[in-house]
């Protein structure tokens, strides 16, 4: 997948030049909108399903709100921690549905920073370059980024596991972080075993790239036709595929690992049927809808999986995918 972006100049990006940064921000917004609109996406809010306290429209508002944050990150004007705080503040100021995209922000911000740098060079890049540079960026985070990360929890309403000796709900941990010089990347290393977003940071955003490659494969014509007919089915399939392979850590945090693994087994059963029938997803749409209703009834929402899907869609859009 290669993007040849026409819009940068020989001077590259700057805090005053917005063309490429605006393109990156629009890709991020569209990725967030496509993900929440995809339906049926088992267990999660979508165009047909709301929760009592959080609605589809809250996700749309959040997606639209962060355009200036992504633009600044893409132009290299702000670091990850500062951008994360700004994204949470923007999201909260535009909607009252609580935490909608915190995990997605943690992926989109460094990916946008890397995309901005690559577009600044020559206006073109491939997925490998994007992922490699993004990993370098997150590994270079500092203690200030970790402090900003901690400060986001109360305002974002994030449900998280504590990180060893650092209680994520205790402001007293801020002093300990500063004294020990703990970086945001250090926190992700500690958390990688039980948090999918942290695992992406530490292992080089490989699942994000995998999602992008899966969506592109489904939407790229082979023998005159795509494997699936539209972007909605491509996203639903990719969501189920990822969920079938990796238990969702948001479900695990809310319940337990056994429940998360059971949900993954349900997804795997549906994926096997689809793949054994030449990706004719319409044959098993009823199975997906039943799975969706079951998870919604049980309040089991694979939120971490959805965050990674957003990043995957973002990469495909940067790479030029249109539908």
């Amino acid at each position: 997948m290669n993007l040849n972006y026409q819009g940068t100049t020989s001077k590259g990006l700057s805090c005053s030049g917005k063309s490429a940064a605006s393109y990156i921000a629009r890709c991020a917004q569209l990725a967030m909108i496509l993900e929440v609109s995809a339906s049926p996406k088992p267990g999660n809010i979508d165009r047909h399903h709301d929760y009592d306290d959080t609605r589809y429209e809250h996700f749309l508002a959040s997606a639209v709100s962060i355009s200036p944050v992504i633009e600044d990150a893409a132009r290299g004007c702000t670091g990850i921690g500062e951008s994360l705080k700004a994204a949470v503040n923007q999201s909260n100021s535009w909607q009252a549905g609580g935490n909608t995209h915190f995990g997605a922000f943690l992926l989109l911000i460094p990916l946008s920073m890397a995309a901005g740098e690559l577009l600044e060079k020559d206006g073109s890049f491939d997925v490998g370059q994007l992922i490699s540079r993004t990993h370098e960026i997150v590994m270079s985070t500092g203690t200030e980024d970790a402090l900003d990360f901690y400060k986001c929890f109360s305002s974002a309403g994030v449900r998280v596991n504590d990180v060893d000796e650092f209680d994520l709900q205790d402001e007293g941990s801020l002093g300990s972080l500063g004294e020990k010089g703990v970086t945001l990347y250090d926190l992700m290393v500690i958390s990688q075993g039980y948090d999918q977003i942290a695992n992406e940071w530490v292992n080089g955003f490989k699942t994000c790239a995998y999602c992008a490659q899966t969506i592109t494969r489904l939407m790229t014509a082979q023998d005159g036709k795509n494997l699936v007919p539209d972007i909605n089915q491509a996203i639903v399939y990719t969501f189920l595929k990822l969920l079938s392979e990796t238990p969702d850590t948001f479900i695990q945090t809310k319940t337990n690992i056994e429940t998360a693994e059971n949900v993954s087994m349900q997804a795997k059963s549906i994926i096997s049927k689809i793949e054994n029938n030449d990706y004719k997803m319409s044959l098993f749409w009823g199975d997906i809808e039943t799975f969706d209703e079951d998870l919604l009834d049980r309040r089991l929402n694979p939120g971490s999986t959805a965050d990674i899907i957003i990043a995957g869609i973002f990469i495909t859009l940067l790479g030029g995918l249109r539908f």
Side-chain angles (χ1 to χ4, degrees):
M1 187 189 305
N2 186 65
L3 166 65
N4 291 302
Y5 174 77
Q6 303 300 319
T8 54
T9 68
S10 59
K11 294 181 180 180
L13 300 181
S14 69
C15 289
S16 59
K18 293 186 176 181
S19 57
S22 175
Y23 173 78
I24 293 167
R26 282 178 284 173
C27 288
Q29 288 176 299
L30 182 54
M32 297 164 75
I33 290 169
L34 286 174
E35 184 279 325
V36 73
S37 298
S39 180
K41 198 172 65 271
N44 284 334
I45 291 170
D46 59 32
R47 68 180 91 172
H48 299 302
H49 300 101
D50 297 314
Y51 283 155
D52 292 337
D53 51 354
T54 310
R55 299 176 55 83
Y56 172 65
E57 293 84 1
H58 292 139
F59 281 81
L60 296 181
S62 178
V64 171
S65 74
I66 67 158
S67 178
V69 178
I70 297 298
E71 284 198 28
D72 283 347
R75 296 201 307 274
C77 301
T78 53
I80 291 179
E82 184 180 356
S83 295
L84 183 62
K85 280 202 307 181
V88 169
N89 289 336
Q90 285 290 338
S91 178
N92 287 345
S93 70
W94 279 78
Q95 53 85 28
N99 173 30
T100 55
H101 288 114
F102 188 77
F105 295 156
L106 280 167
L107 299 173
L108 289 174
I109 288 168
L111 283 166
S112 297
M113 293 169 69
E117 289 185 12
L118 293 169
L119 288 176
E120 182 178 3
K121 288 183 179 179
D122 57 13
S124 66
F125 68 91
D126 62 23
V127 172
Q129 291 175 321
L130 176 68
I131 296 303
S132 176
R133 181 58 191 138
T134 303
H135 195 206
E136 292 173 353
I137 287 171
V138 299
M139 286 192 293
S140 68
T141 55
T143 301
E144 283 301 318
D145 295 302
L147 294 173
D148 286 336
F149 175 73
Y150 261 66
K151 291 172 184 177
C152 287
F153 286 112
S154 59
S155 57
V158 182
R159 184 190 293 269
V160 291
N161 286 311
D162 291 335
V163 180
D164 286 356
E165 72 268 30
F166 304 115
D167 180 354
L168 298 184
Q169 312 303 324
D170 180 10
E171 290 189 4
S173 293
L174 296 177
S176 180
L177 281 173
E179 292 172 3
K180 297 183 178 181
V182 176
T183 71
L184 182 49
Y185 186 76
D186 291 335
L187 292 178
M188 296 298 178
V189 171
I190 296 170
S191 305
Q192 65 176 309
Y194 49 82
D195 185 272
Q196 283 170 275
I197 308 303
N199 188 64
E200 285 301 285
W201 271 49
V202 175
N203 289 291
F205 296 79
K206 292 179 180 178
T207 311
C208 296
Y210 169 71
C211 288
Q213 291 160 356
T214 301
I215 293 169
T216 301
R217 177 174 61 88
L218 294 170
M219 293 296 294
T220 302
Q222 298 177 353
D223 299 326
K225 65 177 182 178
N226 299 332
L227 282 177
V228 296
D230 55 51
I231 188 65
N232 183 72
Q233 288 197 20
I235 294 171
V236 170
Y237 170 87
T238 305
F239 177 86
L240 287 168
K241 183 70 171 176
L242 179 56
L243 185 59
S244 74
E245 296 174 347
T246 308
D248 188 271
T249 51
F250 189 72
I251 291 179
Q252 181 178 336
T253 297
K254 290 179 66 175
T255 57
N256 51 60
I257 183 60
E258 291 78 16
T259 300
E261 289 176 343
N262 179 262
V263 169
S264 289
M265 290 300 296
Q266 291 177 270
K268 183 176 293 185
S269 174
I270 295 173
I271 282 292
S272 295
K273 294 177 183 178
I274 294 171
E275 293 178 347
N276 289 333
N277 286 272
D278 298 323
Y279 294 86
K280 292 183 175 65
M281 291 185 64
S282 60
L283 297 176
F284 306 101
W285 214 245
D287 295 53
I288 302 172
E289 290 175 334
T290 299
F291 184 31
D292 185 24
E293 294 296 338
D294 174 55
L295 294 190
L296 288 169
D297 288 344
R298 297 163 64 194
R299 300 282 293 190
L300 298 175
N301 53 316
S304 296
T305 303
D307 291 330
I308 294 174
I309 293 296
I310 288 173
I313 300 170
F314 175 60
I315 294 169
T316 68
L317 295 173
L318 285 176
L321 180 70
R322 299 296 182 261
F323 50 89

